[in-house]
Structures are given as C-alpha cells and as structure tokens.
Amino acid sequence: MLRKLLTNGHIRCARRFSSSKAIPELTKDRYNVKRGEYSLLTDGHMAFFMNLLGQNRVINDPSECESYNIDWIKNVRGQSRCILKPRTTEEVSKILEFCNENKLAVCPQGGNTGLVGGSVPVFDEIVISTALMNQIESIDEISGVIVCQAGCILENIDQQIGEKGLMVPLDLGAKGSCHIGGNVSTNAGGLRLLRYGNLHGSVLGVEAVKANGEILDCLSTLKKDNTGYHLKHLFIGSEGSLGVVTKVAIQCPTKPKAINMAFLGVESFDSVLTTFRRCKNELGEILSSFELIDALSLDVVTGHYKMQSPIPQFPFYILIETHGSCNEHDEEKLNRFLESAMGDGVVLDGTATNQPSKMKQLWELRESITQGLLMDGYVFKYDLSIPIKEFYAIVDVMNEKIGKDAVRICGYGHIGDSNIHLNLSFKEYSKEMHNKIEPFVYEYTSSLKGSVSAEHGIGFRKSKYVHYSKSPAAINLMQDIKRMMDPNKILNPYKVLPESS
Ligand code: FAD
Ligand code: 2HG
Ligand code: ZN
C-alpha cells in the first residue's frame, strides 16, 4: 500500500545534535599510546599565544578545555591545556611557525563531530580551533563558486547561499555543527554524494598553512586548472596531518526547485538491490539520495526517541530523495517508479511526499540513528565501502560472531555509494570485545576488496588498519609526503598513518 502525501515541496533543515554525558577513559590509557618527543607547554609558550591572540582567544582553564578534548561519540579523550582560536590565516601561520620551532604538537579542530578520534588530542597537543574563522568571503551567483573560511558551519553556509539560489553540494547529519574545513579535511561524503559527487570534485581551491607556518595559496576558483600537480587534493581528506586548511573555494550547484522523497519497506536485501537498480533507471538524473536503514537501525530512533515510522515494520527500509527543476515532472517519474516497484511486489509499502514538514521527519528518522545509538551504551562504529552485492552480509557475519553479547548489531548508510555503517553497541566498552571485533571486521572487508574507511577517515582509531586498504608502496609514499611536509611531526600526531619503521 502506498501512502501518498504529495504536495509542493521545499528544502529541509537538519537539527543540531548534542552527544551523551559519559566521559571516556583517557586515550593514552585505553589504547596504550606512548607520548612522542614533543616539548611540554611552558609559561613562555603561553605568553606568546596570549600576546598573539589576546586572553579571550586562548583557553587554558581545565574545565573549559574539556569539551575540546573529548570526541563527539565519547570514544577518546586527550589532555590538552591550551586551546587556540585564531581568526585569520596569518594568525594560524604564526601559531604553526612558533609550534614548529618549539616542537609543540598541534591538533586542528573544526566542529569536533569526527567519528574516528582525529579531532581531539591524544596527549597534550595544542588544539587549533577554527571556530572563529567563520566568514564567507565571496559568493559568485553566476558561476556558483563560493569562498569561505574553514570554520564556517556547513548549515550556515547552506542557509546563506540558499538565499541566492545555491546549495552546498555536501549534506550530512552533523551539518549544524561541523565546519567546512573539517569536511574538506575528512573528505566527508554524506547523504547526497550519489548525486553531487565528493569534495575532490567540488572543492576548486584550498588555502592551507603548512607545518612551518608557510601559507600555501591554492585557492583557485577556476573549474579547469591543469597547471602542475593538483596540490589541493593533498589537503582534502588528510585530516590535519599535512597542514591546517584555512579557506576553501567550492563549486555549489543551483538549489533544486523540486524535492520529493519516498520511504519504502522491503522484505529482503535482494529487493533493496532490485529497487536501487530500477530507481537509477527510472529516476535517472533526478535521484539525489538512496539510503538504506535496516530494522534494528530504525528501531534505534523509534525506540529511544519514540519517533514514528510512517510505515509498519519491515526488515529493510529505503529512503529516496529526488532533486529536480520541475515538480510535475519529478512527481510523475517518482510515482511511475513507485507504482511499478509496488505493482510487482518488490516494494511492499511506502510513503511519498514533497511536503517540507513530512520530508524533515523522514530525514530525521535517518539522521538521528547515530546519536540514538549512543543511548545503547558503547558503540563500535565501522564505516566501510563494500561491493554492493555483499553490502549487507557483514551484518549477518558479525551477528554470527558476536551474537547475543551485543545490545544491537545493525547496518545502515549510503547504499547508493556502497557505503555501509556497521554499528555494534554494547552496554559498555570492553577490551575483550574490541579484540574480538577488530581486526576481524577489517580483514573481512579487505577480503572483499572493500575500504576500511569509506567517508569518516582514519583519525586515531584506524591508523594501524590502513594497510587493509592500501598497499605497502602507497603507505610508504604517504609517509614520505608526511616527512617532507611536516618533518617535526607536529601536525595531528598519532593519527592517519601507522608509525613508520
Ligand atoms: P572535526 O571533527 O573537528 O575534525 C575532523 C578531522 O579533520 C580531524 O582529524 C581534524 O584534526 C581535522 N580538521 C578539522 N578542521 C581542520 C582544518 N581546518 N584543517 C586541517 N584539519 C582539520 N561524515 C560523513 O562523511 N558523512 C556523513 O554522513 C556523516 N554524518 C555524521 C552524522 C553525525 C550525527 C555525526 C556526529 C558525524 C557525521 N559524520 C559524517 C562525521 C563528521 O561530521 C565529518 O567527518 C565532518 O566532516 C567532520 O567535520 P568537523 O568540522 O566536525 O571536523
Ligand atoms: C551517517 O551517515 C554518518 O549517518 C554516521 O556517516 C554513521 O553513525 C554512523 O555510523
Ligand atoms: Zn554516513
């Protein structure tokens, strides 16, 4: 039965998320990490920073420092006693030049919504927060290119350029908190990558500060620029290990005039695949999201938050969104697709809408899963690229291996991009369970030629597992690049790459 709710649509707006109250064990203890040979922060160093930024933009009060030391999912915790809040690229440059000369380690931080422990210090690294670097510098309404500082919050950019008929090509559940510099540094994927591509394509230029303080201006706003090596790519996805991103130029598409959504229930994973194939064929250029939610993932939000699912229970749910320029055309296409998919029993139930409030509710069901999972207790998160046919088998494999010891083992995510979010929740963290899950989950992924990080990055938690997805030669080259760009290893240490031998 199709519950039809079609009326004229508008764009949705994600809500701000906050995380739970539990305080995790110190990273150095939980993961047994040895501090690198960095200098200890002295009063002299602090005086330099105070002189550069003024008292208000240097945080050293321990209770104020706490939120900068703990990651969003409360997995890791550092002990920094110095948070710096520059406003300009030149201030970032002076900070890094000084830290490099004095061998002080730093941790760049945006909205601190990262899910792999990259955004907080491991020991006492100085946090360089982009929170005050929040200016949009230019919006070119004709080309759609915008230039902004790294600390602009994704949702704020989207709202501001929305007034000019543009949209940010990137969208994710953390949009109300994450910074565009953090997005670029993690090469964040999100909910509409299927349609708008990844940031390696839409970021036209980057300004970054190197470890020694030198400002690298690669802030091209040109769509085509084949002059030598494409250095911007070094900063897209390198998670603060090669430099601090200070500005970005992004190619933004036109905001769609017509948005439609459907939320469907299907009986099996095979039906999900059939639906995806048909959806691509029949919706073609207007398909902007194709997301999968399994029964236990939906149960997170209907259970913990008492959110209402618009359809009864099914083993799998599919969320589809279309972006187009003519609502009549898009609605007709979507309805034709739904009628045929339901007509022959591939899709068993569903709801379709272009009413803003209804679309917002549908997105909330999907976007609230991450936060809701934290209410189960401790969550082991895996963000994997897996060839689409085998996409869901990992949930069954983990169920067989871990079974009833877990509160929940569930899978959801961007199936349109072959990116599954495998989550295993337990009442509390246990080393024993950790060792049972890892490296098994990565070995399994690697055996399918998948990736151990599809979109969240490597951060602290996955650095020793990169080899499951990259060859020794590739890792060596990455280490050479790191040595060349950051010889004193001050940028985000203990993260991204395994220790070089
Ligand atoms: P942070 O968490 O502060 O930092 C992330 C990494 O980038 C760290 O290594 C940090 O050192 C580095 N960094 C930050 N700023 C800079 C800078 N200016 N220069 C150099 N390095 C820097 N991710 C996805 O890809 N897709 C999703 O759909 C998605 N959904 C999410 C939903 C929720 C509810 C949450 C909590 C997270 C989600 N994430 C998702 C993960 C996270 O939001 C992204 O990784 C995001 O890009 C991080 O941005 P941030 O500003 O919070 O960066
Ligand atoms: C999402 O797609 C995020 O919602 C978070 O990437 C995934 O919580 C997760 O595992
Ligand atoms: Zn995701």
Side-chain angles (χ1 to χ4, degrees), residues 17 46 147-148 154 167 170 199 259 264 273-274 283-284 306 332 335 385 394 440 460-461 467 472 500:
F17 284 121
M46 286 305 277
V147 176
C148 57
L154 183 62
M167 62 173 268
L170 170 77
L199 291 172
I259 303 177
L264 313 175
L273 293 183
T274 311
L283 298 180
K306 306 285 172 244
E332 191 192 318
N335 285 340
S385 270
I394 194 157
F440 173 82
F460 171 76
R461 296 200 321 133
H467 68 277
S500 52

Side-chain angles (χ1 to χ4, degrees), residues 115 172-173 190-191 291 366-367 369-371 373 381-383 412-414 419 421-423 455-456:
L115 297 173
L172 57 155
L191 303 159
E291 297 278 315
R366 165 63 183 86
E367 291 181 357
I369 300 170
T370 301
Q371 173 152 15
L373 274 162
K381 276 189 177 301
Y382 302 96
D383 158 45
Y412 63 102
H414 320 291
N419 173 193
H421 294 310
L422 168 72
N423 280 263
E455 60 171 6
H456 295 165

Side-chain angles (χ1 to χ4, degrees), residues 21 41 99 150 188 216 220 239-240 249 277 292 308 322 340 346 353 381 383 398 400 402 419 423 432 452:
K21 298 216 162 44
L41 195 68
C99 289
L216 186 71
S220 170
E239 301 176 68
R277 199 167 176 183
L292 176 75
Q308 290 292 310
T322 64
S340 85
V346 177
T353 182
K381 276 189 177 301
D383 158 45
M398 295 315 287
E400 210 161 284
I402 310 294
N419 173 193
N423 280 263
E432 209 186 330
V452 300

Side-chain angles (χ1 to χ4, degrees), residues 26-33 75-76 378 434 460-461:
L26 287 172
T27 309
K28 71 176 179 67
D29 297 335
R30 177 172 286 174
Y31 296 92
N32 196 16
V33 195
N75 267 190
V76 286
Y378 185 89
H434 199 161
F460 171 76
R461 296 200 321 133

Side-chain angles (χ1 to χ4, degrees), residues 315-428:
F316 296 98
Y317 305 91
I318 298 167
L319 188 151
I320 293 169
E321 185 191 62
T322 64
H323 278 185
S325 56
C326 170
N327 202 51
E328 220 181 334
H329 163 272
D330 296 0
E331 216 176 280
E332 191 192 318
K333 267 181 138 175
L334 185 61
N335 285 340
R336 208 177 320 125
F337 156 72
L338 291 173
E339 273 160 27
S340 85
M342 294 183 82
D344 52 19
V346 177
V347 170
L348 297 180
D349 199 347
T351 175
T353 182
N354 59 12
Q355 215 176 298
S357 62
K358 293 261 164 30
M359 294 200 288
K360 188 166 180 269
Q361 278 166 18
L362 292 182
W363 272 119
E364 275 185 354
L365 285 174
R366 165 63 183 86
E367 291 181 357
S368 308
I369 300 170
T370 301
Q371 173 152 15
L373 274 162
L374 302 182
M375 294 170 80
D376 281 354
Y378 185 89
V379 187
F380 290 97
K381 276 189 177 301
Y382 302 96
D383 158 45
L384 311 166
S385 270
I386 297 202
I388 197 156
K389 279 195 182 144
E390 278 104 0
F391 187 83
Y392 195 73
I394 194 157
V395 178
D396 300 328
V397 168
M398 295 315 287
N399 257 310
E400 210 161 284
K401 192 170 169 68
I402 310 294
K404 56 184 174 10
D405 290 337
V407 173
R408 185 192 316 265
I409 298 178
C410 63
Y412 63 102
H414 320 291
I415 185 168
D417 311 314
S418 286
N419 173 193
I420 188 164
H421 294 310
L422 168 72
N423 280 263
L424 297 93
S425 62
F426 296 83
K427 286 216 176 73
E428 57 194 26

